[in-house]
């Protein structure tokens, strides 16, 4: 367990300068094909007494920054193998002197953010550590099992969430898409979208696109993630489908 109460299941691998051999640089044969490009972390969620249950957050590695060739040449570095080191975050010597050039001197700021996805197990509440993991996710998958007037009470007894609680959770975590799953079989399928989506939206305050999951549903998260907040929001969540 990490100090913040989370677990790291997969970690993005950082490349050391020794990993990049001189021969590989000269041939520009080095690639990231064998490098772990995503991180997977877990945090506890509250389901039923005596049953340890988890949620998971998956995030891709930051995208490699590009070289500003004009700045690099102005700093005395010609296009070539040194560009590879700079893009990997390592300083290099100028071509004609021993003066070191730092990556930030020649790299273009990266405006494309990594995508992030969270899947929560059965729960009626989540831990503080799990709350921290789901902040700013592109897609939050949260259950909406308990429906009805006694939803709040039944939720705690049965260890499951409600659409209202899911909507609030997505609002507080600033999730771009809330994907509701684990829907009660007592609800007819033709009632699901209208009922649980509407209830979740009432506590979401327009922060997230809300979608009811169904078998074989696929969400295409574009490079850089969703950016719904810069455009007018739809009322049906169709753009997230």
């Amino acid at each position: 367990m990490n100090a913040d109460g989370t677990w790291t299941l997969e970690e993005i691998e950082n490349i050391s300068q020794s990993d990049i051999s001189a021969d590989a640089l000269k041939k520009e044969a080095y690639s990231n094909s064998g490098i772990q490009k995503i991180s997977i972390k877990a945090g506890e969620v509250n389901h039923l007494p005596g049953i340890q249950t988890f949620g998971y957050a998956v995030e891709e590695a930051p995208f490699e920054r590009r070289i500003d060739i004009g700045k690099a040449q102005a700093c005395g570095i010609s296009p070539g193998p040194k560009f590879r080191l700079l893009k990997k975050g390592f300083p290099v010597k100028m071509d004609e002197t021993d003066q070191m050039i730092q990556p930030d001197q020649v790299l273009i700021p990266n405006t494309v953010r990594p995508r992030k996805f969270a899947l929560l197990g059965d729960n009626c509440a989540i831990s503080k550590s799990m709350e921290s993991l789901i902040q700013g996710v592109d897609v939050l998958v949260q259950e909406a099992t308990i429906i009805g007037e006694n939803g709040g009470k039944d939720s705690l007894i049965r260890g499951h969430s409600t659409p209202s609680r899911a909507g609030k959770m997505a609002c507080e975590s600033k999730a771009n898409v809330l994907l509701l799953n684990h829907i009660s079989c007592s609800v007819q399928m033709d009632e699901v979208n209208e009922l649980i989506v509407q209830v979740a939206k009432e506590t979401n305050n327009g922060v997230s696109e809300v979608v009811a999951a169904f078998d074989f549903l696929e969400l295409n998260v574009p490079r850089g993630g969703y950016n719904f907040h810069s455009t007018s929001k739809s009322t049906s969540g169709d753009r997230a489908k």
Side-chain angles (χ1 to χ4, degrees), residues 17-201:
Q17 193 163 359
S18 61
D19 291 332
I20 307 177
S21 68
D23 287 342
L25 279 174
K26 289 176 182 177
K27 298 175 183 178
E28 297 188 1
Y30 185 82
S31 73
N32 280 344
S33 58
I35 301 300
Q36 179 65 38
K37 296 182 180 180
I38 62 171
S39 70
I40 304 176
K41 292 188 176 183
E44 286 196 79
V45 299
N46 302 328
H47 180 36
L48 292 172
I51 301 178
Q52 192 173 31
T53 312
F54 296 91
Y56 304 90
V58 181
E59 186 171 14
E60 65 184 343
F63 292 100
E64 187 174 84
R65 293 164 65 185
R66 295 181 294 117
I67 294 279
D68 185 319
I69 297 177
K71 285 185 177 180
Q73 292 177 328
C75 289
I77 302 173
S78 301
K82 290 181 181 179
F83 275 26
R84 170 71 70 175
L85 283 169
L86 287 165
K87 291 170 72 174
K88 297 302 179 187
F90 302 112
V92 299
K93 291 181 180 180
M94 296 175 61
D95 293 343
E96 303 298 332
T97 72
D98 289 337
Q99 182 178 341
M100 299 298 291
I101 300 300
Q102 300 298 320
D104 284 341
Q105 293 178 251
V106 298
L107 292 180
I108 299 171
N110 199 345
T111 58
V112 181
R113 65 175 179 81
R115 290 166 287 192
K116 190 175 181 181
F117 162 83
L119 172 65
L120 305 184
D122 292 354
N123 72 87
C124 59
I126 63 175
S127 64
K128 291 293 184 182
S129 58
M130 192 69 239
E131 286 180 6
S132 68
L133 290 180
I134 66 174
Q135 293 301 309
V137 294
D138 287 293
V139 180
L140 173 64
V141 182
Q142 165 65 348
E143 63 151 295
T145 306
I146 309 297
I147 303 171
E149 295 180 0
N150 296 322
K153 182 178 180 180
D154 290 346
S155 173
L156 297 176
I157 295 174
R158 295 170 55 185
H160 289 290
S161 184
T162 65
S164 177
R165 181 171 287 126
K168 183 178 180 181
M169 183 186 298
C171 175
E172 293 175 345
S173 64
K174 295 181 174 58
N176 281 299
V177 172
L178 169 61
L179 183 58
L180 301 169
N181 73 342
H182 204 294
I183 299 163
S184 174
C185 61
S186 64
V187 179
Q188 297 298 316
M189 287 305 297
D190 59 358
E191 299 176 355
V192 169
N193 285 324
E194 181 180 355
L195 181 60
I196 71 169
V197 170
Q198 185 57 43
V199 172
K201 284 182 175 181

